[in-house]
Amino acid sequence: GGHYPVYQKNSLLNSNPNFDYGAFAGLAEAINAQMQSGNSNAQYFGFTFTVAGRYYFTDAKDQEKTLVVYVTKGSEKCPNEGAGLQPRTSGTLSVFGVVLNNSIALEPDYIMLAIILCSFTVTLLMMLGLMKWVTESMWLNPKVPVPKFLSLIHILRCRRYALGRSLWSPYHYKKK
C-alpha cells in the first residue's frame, strides 16, 4: 500500500465517538486495489469535517507519522490561527485541550471482587474440611498407618506433658 491517512478510532485523542470514518476506509480499499492492478499514479483525496472535535490519524505505511486534526465550531477561532502544521508536542496538544490526566479513578468491579472473595473462601473451607477429615480418619481408624513425623510429634508432646512442662513452651514447668 501507499501513504494515506488511517483513522485511529480507539485513540484517546479523538473527541467525536460518532465520527463516520467510512470515507477513509474506502480510500484504503481504493489505494490497495489500485496498487494491485499495477497503477501507482498519485491520487488526491479530500474530506470535509462537519463536526467539531479532534481526530487522530496515522500513516498507513509508517505508524510513527501521525496527524491530529482539530476542527473548531463555526463561531470559534482556531487557537493557533495562521500557524499551519505543527509538530505534535505536549504544548501544541494542550492548546487544543489534550492534557495528561494522572487522576483517573476507575470504578471497582464489585462483581469480580465478590467472585474472587467467594472463591478464596470456598477454597479455604474445602482445605480445612479436607484437613479435618484426614486427621480424624487417621486417628480414629487404626488400619490407617500414622506417618512417622506425626507419631514423633505426638510422642514429644506426651513426653513434655509427662515431665510437667507446658504444652505451649518447652521452657516453662508446671508448678506443683
Side-chain angles (χ1 to χ4, degrees):
H3 293 278
Y4 54 89
V6 177
Y7 180 67
Q8 299 299 317
K9 66 178 181 174
N10 295 326
S11 173
L12 295 176
L13 292 175
N14 295 323
S15 63
N16 181 2
N18 300 321
F19 176 59
D20 181 12
Y21 57 95
F24 292 95
L27 172 66
E29 291 172 10
I31 289 178
N32 288 332
Q34 184 181 3
M35 297 295 272
Q36 286 178 352
S37 69
N39 184 2
S40 61
N41 291 334
Q43 226 182 14
Y44 292 101
F45 173 76
F47 184 82
T48 302
F49 292 90
T50 57
V51 178
R54 288 182 311 271
Y55 304 90
Y56 181 66
F57 297 89
T58 58
D59 184 76
K61 267 192 173 177
D62 186 359
Q63 296 284 315
E64 294 297 314
K65 293 181 180 177
T66 62
L67 172 68
V68 179
V69 177
Y70 182 74
V71 180
T72 60
K73 295 179 184 167
S75 61
E76 271 185 77
K77 286 196 172 216
C78 186
N80 286 353
E81 191 170 342
L85 293 177
Q86 300 173 9
R88 190 182 81 177
T89 64
S90 59
T92 56
L93 289 175
S94 67
V95 169
F96 301 110
V98 178
V99 292
L100 181 63
N101 186 353
N102 290 328
S103 64
I104 296 176
L106 300 176
E107 183 71 24
D109 188 353
Y110 291 112
I111 294 172
M112 185 57 73
L113 288 173
I115 290 171
I116 291 171
L117 185 62
C118 288
S119 299
F120 179 74
T121 304
V122 167
T123 303
L124 184 65
L125 290 174
M126 287 175 54
M127 289 175 56
L128 289 173
L130 180 65
M131 288 172 52
K132 181 176 172 40
W133 176 77
V134 166
T135 54
E136 283 181 358
S137 66
M138 283 185 356
W139 295 112
L140 296 177
N141 188 356
K143 295 178 184 173
V144 176
V146 177
K148 289 191 177 202
F149 73 92
L150 284 179
S151 59
L152 179 63
I153 291 171
H154 181 68
I155 291 170
L156 291 175
R157 281 188 179 166
C158 291
R159 182 170 174 241
R160 192 179 303 147
Y161 187 70
L163 294 173
R165 296 181 183 153
S166 166
L167 289 174
W168 304 109
S169 172
Y171 304 108
H172 296 95
Y173 293 95
K174 279 188 173 180
K175 292 185 180 180
K176 294 185 180 183

